[in-house]
Amino acid sequence: MPYVAPFAAFLVFIGLAQWLPVSPDLLYPLRVAVVGAVLAVFSRHLISFRAGTWAGSLLIGVAVFVLWVAPDVLWPAYRGHWLFDNSVVGSAESSVPHSVKHDLGFVALRIVSSVGLVPVLEELFWRGWLMRWLVHHDFQAVPLGTYTRYSFWVTAALFAAEHGSY
């Protein structure tokens, strides 16, 4: 439960957003609150925000930000390339309606969610549970960081599929 429940709650809200005629500015704060609560209740004993090396952590954070944001700034049309826009992976389109893109409260909540919730719940699910479960069904007996080609590539393929054209 501590590894899967936050990710499952997150997916439930993604699904609800597709079916419920509720405005994102109402549903999104509820999603952040519920997923944050599930993370706090089920997984708090697994999470540590202590960085072993602050400088290294900051450098990696800056590098990831540059790799994630730089292509959009330097080559704005690259997501229109057939590799990122096709019938298999879909199109790189924002899930945020235009009506809330300039709402500072919504943007702040989106940043908090993108920085504080999503990476934590994804790491718990993909690397904390699935990758180890693919090594052995008694995943807790498998040390974190255990690597097999099979577990790595299956997890990487599913993670990529989850993110589609992104």
Side-chain angles (χ1 to χ4, degrees):
M1 285 300 280
Y3 295 93
V4 178
F7 191 74
F10 183 74
L11 291 181
V12 165
F13 272 94
I14 289 175
L16 285 175
Q18 301 299 317
W19 295 99
L20 292 177
V22 178
S23 171
D25 56 335
L26 297 175
L27 189 60
Y28 197 80
L30 180 61
R31 176 170 103 178
V32 172
V34 170
V35 171
V38 169
L39 193 61
V41 168
F42 288 100
S43 309
R44 72 177 171 273
H45 66 283
L46 298 174
I47 301 168
S48 170
F49 290 102
R50 287 189 170 169
T53 311
W54 279 100
S57 295
L58 288 173
L59 275 171
I60 289 172
V62 168
V64 168
F65 180 80
V66 167
L67 290 171
W68 190 9
V69 174
D72 287 319
V73 173
L74 298 174
W75 304 285
Y78 90 98
R79 289 193 194 265
H81 189 276
W82 67 268
L83 285 172
F84 303 105
D85 189 2
N86 58 60
S87 62
V88 175
V89 298
S91 298
E93 296 174 5
S94 176
S95 62
V96 178
H98 187 71
S99 61
V100 295
K101 285 186 178 183
H102 301 289
D103 178 344
L104 290 179
F106 183 86
V107 171
L109 195 58
R110 182 88 175 192
I111 290 169
V112 166
S113 173
S114 298
V115 172
L117 286 180
V118 175
V120 174
L121 65 92
E122 283 187 340
E123 285 297 315
L124 286 172
F125 178 79
W126 293 110
R127 294 192 332 155
W129 175 72
L130 182 64
M131 193 173 222
R132 296 189 303 158
W133 183 81
L134 290 169
V135 172
H136 192 277
H137 292 307
D138 180 13
F139 76 97
Q140 290 182 324
V142 178
L144 283 171
T146 299
Y147 172 87
T148 66
R149 282 187 290 244
Y150 172 74
S151 65
F152 173 81
W153 287 109
V154 168
T155 302
L158 290 172
F159 182 81
E162 175 205 16
H163 289 86
S165 59
Y166 288 100

